[in-house]
Amino acid sequence: LAFRETQVRNVLERGRCLLALEVEVLMLKDSLEMTEAERARIVEACATCAERRIVITHGTDTMVETAHALAAASLDKTIVLTGAMIPYTFGSSDALFNLG
């Protein structure tokens, strides 16, 4: 899989989300190719951002590994990881429902 840009804004718009929120892109890659250093980057971004409630879109193949890294950091924040079995751009995806 190759990703050129995030689809999060499109999914939120399609879901008629009216929340004031910030979308930050850390990386666009297949989660099977993620390294431990990149997982550490996710943990660091969560630890240093001002927000206390965070939603992370993540490939389903290695979401558990990233969840373990976040849990080990014991951050005092609510962090939700979500993904889809079929990528949003492929159509017939569960991404819209899952992010909702």
Side-chain angles (χ1 to χ4, degrees), residues 11-31:
V11 172
L12 292 171
E13 183 179 307
R14 186 169 170 205
R16 298 185 194 107
C17 177
L18 301 175
L19 296 173
L21 50 85
E22 179 180 331
V23 175
E24 180 178 345
V25 178
L26 294 184
M27 62 195 78
L28 296 168
K29 70 184 312 179
D30 187 325
S31 70

Side-chain angles (χ1 to χ4, degrees), residues 11 27 34 36 40 44 51 62-63 65 70 84 97 100:
V11 172
M27 62 195 78
M34 285 181 70
E36 290 307 311
E44 180 67 19
E51 290 76 17
T62 65
M63 188 184 294
E65 287 85 343
L70 288 162
F97 178 84

Side-chain angles (χ1 to χ4, degrees), residues 2 4 18 28 31 40 50 52 54 70 78 82 86 92 96:
R4 291 189 181 103
L18 301 175
L28 296 168
S31 70
R52 312 254 324 127
I54 302 165
L70 288 162
T78 300
T82 186
I86 301 169
S92 298
L96 185 63

